[in-house]
């Protein structure tokens, strides 16, 4: 960490980065966090490898050792939710983090005062915090906050079917099925995202947040031993989290005072590419 900051942050902040297959994206994510200005040792990074089998995790381990970066390797692909749960527990129990940010590996943080703005939001007593998530490749599209699914039970059933295929079928089959499913539901996803582009302009409390970046603090970190519902594998974590937080009376906020950039779907796209048989050169 460099020391060009606006003062010392008061809380221990742990970033959990879930790595799967895509070395460059994960490295850029780590580098962007390490570049954030802070003058102390209050920030830690937990990189959780979700059983990558393409050598990318080994490449990450070869990076110059940094005292703030910790690596955890899963012996199987646990899916997004359970992979994040592993990192959350490490940040909470080993690093003793007060604030835990769950990060897709294809996120970067361009905002220089991110940590200090986050410190202020946490001081306001919020338990779950969502930043402005911007996709530069899609004309700076804003994808946070989300509207809940129109029919949550029906949507979750579809994802449960996809998870079952991943459990019992080879990767090449499972990812192709998921890709078709993703394409078939793109219309409803686009409608939810279009609404986010409008909502993103100002703060909103007790809204559903995009799962690419979820920041947990205060009562949530003190009380919860896991962060996401392990019944999911690929998507729908944010739907279940929103319902859970509403039942537990956790305070949720979306705030545009925090910003992250998102190269959406990098790990999933890489998995799809690896699953496609390649013809030998003739």
């Amino acid at each position: 960490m460099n020391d060009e900051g606006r003062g010392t942050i008061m809380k221990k902040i742990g970033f959990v980065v879930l790595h799967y297959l895509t070395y460059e994206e994960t490295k850029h994510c780590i580098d962007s966090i390490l570049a954030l200005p802070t003058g102390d040792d209050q920030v830690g990074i937990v990189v959780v490898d979700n059983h990558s089998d393409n050598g990318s995790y080994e490449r990450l381990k070869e990076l110059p050792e940094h005292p703030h970066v910790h690596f955890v390797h899963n012996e199987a692909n646990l899916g997004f939710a359970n992979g994040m749960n592993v990192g959350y527990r490490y940040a909470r129990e080993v690093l003793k983090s007060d604030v835990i940010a769950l990060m897709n590996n294809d996120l970067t943080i361009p905002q220089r005062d991110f940590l200090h703005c986050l410190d202020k939001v946490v001081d306001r007593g919020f338990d779950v915090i969502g930043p402005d998530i911007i996709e530069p490749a899609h004309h700076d599209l804003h994808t946070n906050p989300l509207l809940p699914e129109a029919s949550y039970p029906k949507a979750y059933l579809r994802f449960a079917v996809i998870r079952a295929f991943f459990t019992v079928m080879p990767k090449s089959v499972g990812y192709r099925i998921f890709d078709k499913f993703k394409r078939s539901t793109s219309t409803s996803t686009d409608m939810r995202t279009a609404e986010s582009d409008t909502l993103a302009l100002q703060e909103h409390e007790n809204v559903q947040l995009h799962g690419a970046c979820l920041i947990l603090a205060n009562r949530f970190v003190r009380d919860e031993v896991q962060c996401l519902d392990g019944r999911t594998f690929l998507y729908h974590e944010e739907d279940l989290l929103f319902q859970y937080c509403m039942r537990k009376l956790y305070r949720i906020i979306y705030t545009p005072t925090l910003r992250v950039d998102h190269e959406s779907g990098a790990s999933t796209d890489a998995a799809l590419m690896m699953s496609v048989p390649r013809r030998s050169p003739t």
Side-chain angles (χ1 to χ4, degrees):
M1 306 284 178
N2 66 51
D3 55 5
E4 302 170 5
R6 295 187 180 181
T8 301
I9 58 174
M10 301 302 296
K11 302 164 191 67
K12 295 194 70 173
I13 301 175
F15 289 87
V16 178
V17 179
L18 186 63
H19 170 74
Y20 186 61
L21 300 177
T22 53
Y23 167 82
E24 293 294 340
E25 282 77 10
T26 301
K27 184 178 183 301
H28 291 159
C29 181
I30 296 170
D31 289 344
S32 76
I33 298 170
L34 291 176
L36 293 174
T38 177
D40 52 39
D41 294 330
Q42 294 295 88
V43 177
I45 303 171
V46 184
V47 180
V48 181
D49 175 56
N50 223 4
H51 196 63
S52 302
D53 56 4
N54 65 340
S56 58
Y57 175 65
E58 289 73 18
R59 289 181 66 193
L60 289 171
K61 291 280 288 181
E62 292 173 357
L63 292 172
E65 187 173 343
H66 195 288
H68 297 292
V69 182
H70 309 260
F71 290 95
V72 179
H73 174 69
N74 292 333
E75 293 299 328
N77 185 348
L78 303 182
F80 183 85
N82 285 315
M84 282 296 190
N85 284 335
V86 170
Y88 173 83
R89 286 191 292 268
Y90 190 99
R92 182 177 183 265
E93 298 167 12
V94 178
L95 301 185
K96 306 298 182 184
S97 301
D98 304 303
V99 181
I100 302 174
L102 311 179
M103 304 272 291
N104 272 25
N105 72 322
D106 52 5
L107 291 178
T108 56
I109 304 178
Q111 180 184 347
R112 299 296 292 164
D113 62 349
F114 183 91
L115 295 175
H116 302 285
C117 289
L118 175 58
D119 211 40
K120 293 177 182 178
V121 177
V122 173
D123 280 343
R124 293 165 59 191
F126 292 101
D127 307 302
V128 183
I129 301 163
D132 190 1
I133 300 175
I134 297 176
E135 296 190 3
H138 295 91
H139 308 289
D140 286 345
L141 180 70
H142 302 260
T143 59
N144 215 11
L146 288 176
L147 285 179
E149 290 275 6
S151 175
Y152 168 75
K154 183 178 179 180
Y156 183 73
L157 179 61
R158 293 199 304 269
F159 282 99
V161 171
I162 296 300
R163 183 189 177 189
F165 273 105
F166 266 85
T167 302
V168 302
M169 292 195 172
K171 284 184 180 179
S172 58
V173 178
Y175 277 113
R176 286 177 179 177
I177 291 171
F178 170 71
D179 190 44
K180 290 181 180 179
F181 168 74
K182 181 179 177 183
R183 294 172 189 274
S184 71
T185 58
S186 61
T187 302
S188 62
T189 301
D190 289 345
M191 290 176 63
R192 296 175 81 190
T193 301
E195 189 71 18
S196 298
D197 208 34
T198 302
L199 293 173
L201 300 177
Q202 57 188 336
E203 286 190 345
H204 300 277
E205 294 188 27
N206 295 331
V207 290
Q208 185 168 319
L209 301 173
H210 195 297
C213 184
L214 294 164
I215 304 171
L216 310 171
N218 294 315
R219 279 204 307 128
F220 193 104
V221 173
R222 289 196 298 268
D223 296 348
E224 301 296 335
V225 297
Q226 69 174 22
C227 55
L228 298 174
D229 192 317
R231 291 176 294 172
T232 62
F233 186 85
L234 283 169
Y235 290 99
H236 239 51
E237 300 84 11
E238 58 265 273
D239 296 85
L240 289 172
L241 179 64
F242 176 69
Q243 291 195 353
Y244 181 77
C245 288
M246 289 296 94
R247 292 198 301 271
K248 299 280 286 189
L249 301 180
Y250 289 134
R251 296 183 64 198
I252 303 173
I253 189 170
Y254 160 77
T255 175
T257 64
L258 300 170
R259 170 183 172 166
V260 298
D261 286 353
H262 188 203
E263 183 182 343
S264 181
S267 291
T268 302
D269 292 342
L272 284 167
M273 290 296 294
M274 288 188 66
S275 71
V276 176
R278 289 170 171 75
R279 296 178 60 184
S280 300
T282 56

